Amino acid sequence: MTEYGYFLAAEEHGPADLVEQARMAEQAGFSHLWISDHYHPWNDAQGQSSFVWSVIGALAQATSLPVQTAVTCPIMRIHPAIVAQAAATSAVLLEGRFRLGVGSGEALNEHVLGDRWPPAPIRLEMLEEAVMVMRQLFEGRRVTHHGKHYTVENARLYTVPEEPVPIDIAAFGSVAAALAGRVGDGFITVNPDAELVARFRRGSGAGGNSKPARGGLKVCYGPDPDEALRTAHRLWPTEGLPGEVLSTLTTPAQFEQAAQLVTPERIADEVVCGDDAEAHVSALNAYAEAGFDTVYVHQIGPDQRGFFDFYRTKVLPQVAG
């Protein structure tokens, strides 16, 4: 049975607001939390980008819901050995309710130390090695690793949860979905793509059906659909940009330039806007029908309380079993 979570957008809200949204999400009936991991927002209108690991520490004290990063890139800006330490500590604070979501990243966040931005096949290769290093460290033993991309010498995590942190892998194409199936404990994407879910499960072998598929979507609730669309277009025009652009541009200013080509009509095709409960339910059902185990909803804009009231009373009762 599909479950429903809330997506905390760290690009759009400050840390205290994210913690308050987590409380409201739990009260509204959502059962899981995602939180984004960014160094920069996609554009200056979003205006935030707090350090995710600090916020997760606060979430551990504010809510009893499971938390997952969606997603962390462990290949460049932060070494996988340090990501492993952050994830293990988060899992201890959350008493085992933490999953690490990882992906091959975007130049927007990963270029900030001046490293070369590799092409996608190399980034996936780096991601697979990073996952291997983190899994070894999660076991709490001393690790020395001299690989193609990473070196770890005599490293050991002393603060570890009772069970290793599960690692889910984000994928937006068939190659990455196959990687998620081969080395991930689960799969993450942001489109109700049944074929990608099937590719992930085929790559997982006999145990594929037991691994979770997790999907995310954006909505903009509001009593005025036109105003909601304007809000979505102002804050998240990147929803109308093609995937390769999302991974290669390096600054919010460049995304703002590219987004000038994105029309409100294009955003209307990607984001459910307004207060038509059936439209929201239909968007959620698309993920359930595609085989997703958990769907995370991100409310665009400042009307968070109105959104949570709307979903608590009008939407979740129609989809939650």
Side-chain angles (χ1 to χ4, degrees):
M1 183 176 294
T2 304
E3 297 183 294
Y4 299 91
Y6 188 68
F7 190 174
L8 301 167
E11 308 95 307
E12 192 183 337
H13 303 282
D17 288 338
L18 295 171
V19 173
E20 180 58 26
Q21 288 169 24
R23 292 192 186 100
M24 290 192 290
E26 185 167 15
Q27 293 167 0
F30 288 97
S31 58
H32 296 73
L33 295 171
W34 262 0
I35 184 167
S36 54
D37 181 357
H38 270 241
Y39 194 91
H40 291 139
W42 296 100
N43 55 49
D44 283 353
Q46 292 174 352
Q48 296 288 337
S49 203
S50 51
F51 188 57
V52 68
W53 303 107
S54 300
V55 180
I56 289 171
L59 293 174
Q61 304 305 306
T63 177
S64 64
L65 297 183
V67 177
Q68 180 172 43
T69 53
V71 296
T72 293
C73 178
I75 68 172
M76 291 180 62
R77 173 171 44 103
I78 303 180
H79 192 282
I82 308 304
V83 174
Q85 184 185 28
T89 299
S90 297
V92 170
L93 280 171
L94 284 155
E95 300 179 329
R97 304 188 314 276
F98 179 75
R99 296 180 77 95
L100 178 62
V102 299
S104 58
E106 301 97 12
L108 173 71
N109 302 301
E110 307 309 317
H111 84 284
V112 296
L113 302 182
D115 297 304
R116 172 180 174 267
W117 183 239
I122 301 301
R123 300 201 312 273
L124 289 176
E125 182 181 276
M126 296 170 71
L127 180 62
E128 184 167 2
E129 185 177 339
V131 168
M132 179 181 68
V133 167
M134 292 188 293
R135 288 199 191 283
Q136 293 175 359
L137 288 165
F138 288 153
E139 295 175 2
R141 60 183 178 84
R142 192 175 305 280
V143 174
T144 294
H145 170 86
H146 296 277
K148 182 175 180 179
H149 300 288
Y150 304 107
T151 297
V152 179
E153 291 191 354
N154 299 318
R156 177 185 172 189
L157 297 181
Y158 281 82
T159 300
V160 292
E162 292 183 2
E163 298 292 333
V165 179
I167 302 176
D168 296 347
I169 296 179
F172 304 99
S174 60
V175 174
L179 173 65
R182 187 171 71 254
V183 306
D185 296 308
F187 166 66
I188 291 172
T189 195
V190 292
N191 288 300
D193 191 328
E195 178 52 38
L196 272 187
V197 174
R199 185 73 181 89
F200 158 69
R201 298 207 187 283
R202 287 196 299 271
S204 299
N209 289 333
S210 65
K211 292 183 178 182
R214 305 176 187 275
L217 80 156
K218 289 176 170 55
V219 305
C220 190
Y221 161 78
D224 181 341
D226 292 334
E227 180 60 29
L229 178 57
R230 286 191 289 272
T231 298
H233 183 251
R234 177 174 62 86
L235 291 174
W236 288 88
T238 47
E239 288 300 290
L241 295 175
E244 193 66 19
V245 171
L246 295 176
S247 67
T248 56
L249 299 182
T250 58
T251 67
Q254 290 178 349
F255 276 99
E256 289 166 4
Q257 292 169 6
Q260 292 177 17
L261 303 175
V262 178
T263 65
E265 291 75 19
R266 172 68 173 143
I267 296 302
D269 290 337
E270 300 293 330
V271 178
V272 177
C273 295
D275 61 353
D276 181 348
E278 295 305 319
H280 288 260
V281 168
S282 177
L284 294 175
N285 283 341
Y287 284 82
E289 292 164 4
F292 286 86
D293 300 278
T294 311
V295 186
Y296 297 79
V297 185
H298 164 206
Q299 159 69 0
I300 295 172
D303 190 7
Q304 297 293 314
R305 189 167 299 280
F307 163 83
F308 285 119
D309 287 344
F310 175 64
Y311 263 63
R312 177 179 57 82
T313 59
K314 300 291 181 63
V315 178
L316 290 181
Q318 297 192 59
V319 295

